[in-house]
Amino acid sequence: MVLLVLLSGVAGCAWSARAGGAGTVRDLTELGAEGEAEVSAGGRCGRGVCLAGARVTGGFFGRSRAGSAAGKLEYLWFFGRNAGALGVSWGPRVVGEETGHVVSIHLSAFEPFPSGRPAGSIGAGMVAGFGFGDEAVRGGWFGVGVFWEFSDIFSWK
């Protein structure tokens, strides 16, 4: 995160750092919960901001520990007083002793906090993922989560 802050100051690029958690479900029988941390950097593109970075998760899925480390691409846009983001991430995932790869799509909404002079943003979002590999990793799942965006993304509006 320190490197992203230095890059944003030197090169004038946008940066993002998030932490949060999500609940997940697969086949309406396997529930999970995972904490997540994300960092990314990028610049203005079109009417928004394009970011590239990394996403790390850890927690449980079904009765097994679960985690992933993924690269991500994200497009952040602004509407009214809020912001939205559409992202895709991909990388290795572990569920119990089984391994594979995961591709996931993230749709998030942000609200500046505090609204007058934001120091960050409160966010909520949905994620849908599909895994390839061993049985516990394979297949799709859906999740919802909340997070805190540490940077003032609204300064890039």
Side-chain angles (χ1 to χ4, degrees):
M1 185 164 112
V2 173
L3 179 60
L4 290 175
V5 173
L6 290 173
L7 284 173
S8 68
V10 173
C13 73
W15 65 276
S16 169
R18 295 181 197 139
T24 57
V25 63
R26 177 170 75 172
D27 298 333
L28 299 177
T29 58
E30 294 178 280
L31 300 176
E34 295 184 16
E36 60 186 56
E38 301 180 31
V39 293
S40 55
R44 295 192 66 57
C45 60
R47 297 181 138 199
V49 177
C50 293
L51 300 164
R55 181 173 190 269
V56 177
T57 68
F60 68 91
F61 195 68
R63 294 182 177 182
S64 303
R65 64 179 170 74
S68 65
K72 77 169 196 166
L73 295 174
E74 183 175 68
Y75 181 71
L76 176 70
W77 73 93
F78 303 97
F79 56 94
R81 293 179 22 169
N82 298 314
L86 177 62
V88 61
S89 62
W90 64 95
R93 180 169 173 83
V94 174
V95 177
E97 300 300 318
E98 299 184 350
T99 61
H101 282 78
V102 64
V103 175
S104 57
I105 304 293
H106 313 265
L107 181 61
S108 307
F110 304 87
E111 182 170 336
F113 186 82
S115 59
R117 294 175 58 94
S121 307
I122 295 172
M126 298 180 293
V127 60
F130 193 83
F132 306 89
D134 294 343
E135 183 60 32
V137 179
R138 190 178 310 138
W141 70 92
F142 176 78
V144 293
V146 295
F147 54 86
W148 176 257
E149 167 70 48
F150 290 93
S151 70
D152 176 13
I153 59 173
F154 293 92
S155 65
W156 307 311
K157 192 172 182 178

